[in-house]
Amino acid sequence: DISSTYIREALHEGNIPLANELLDFAVEQGADSKNVYSLLANAFISMSKADRLAELIEKAKQLNSLSRDGIVSMLESLQADTASAGN
């Protein structure tokens, strides 16, 4: 989708603050794209903000979407992987 394209562009250009702002906005607006959540989760991990994954998981659990369970599962898996890696 269009938001993912802009986010990937910002990340590719190294504009992490803009990418995070776009991702946060997309999530706040109720984006139900697994890709948006994955990008934001990985941005948190790369910025050593893995503690924000729990907040993201809670937002995903509130989605009223068929993709909710897949998004939550993916985020919980990332969270577990990050915890086991010691990040």
Side-chain angles (χ1 to χ4, degrees):
D1 66 39
I2 190 104
S3 62
S4 295
T5 302
Y6 285 126
I7 293 162
R8 272 198 220 99
E9 245 177 67
L11 288 170
H12 179 72
E13 293 171 1
N15 193 342
I16 304 300
L18 175 60
N20 281 328
E21 191 174 320
L22 290 169
L23 287 163
D24 279 334
F25 180 75
V27 169
E28 288 300 321
Q29 296 303 309
D32 64 353
S33 165
K34 191 174 183 178
N35 190 42
V36 168
Y37 279 84
S38 177
L39 286 168
L40 185 53
N42 284 300
F44 286 156
I45 293 166
S46 70
M47 295 184 313
S48 300
K49 294 184 177 182
D51 56 311
R52 298 222 26 219
L53 290 176
E55 173 187 327
L56 196 57
I57 291 168
E58 288 309 308
K59 286 181 184 175
K61 286 180 178 178
Q62 295 172 17
L63 290 172
N64 186 14
S65 166
L66 292 174
S67 58
R68 179 187 61 217
D69 292 343
I71 293 170
V72 170
S73 177
M74 179 266 307
L75 292 172
E76 289 174 340
S77 179
L78 275 173
Q79 186 180 43
D81 291 348
T82 301
S84 68
N87 289 337

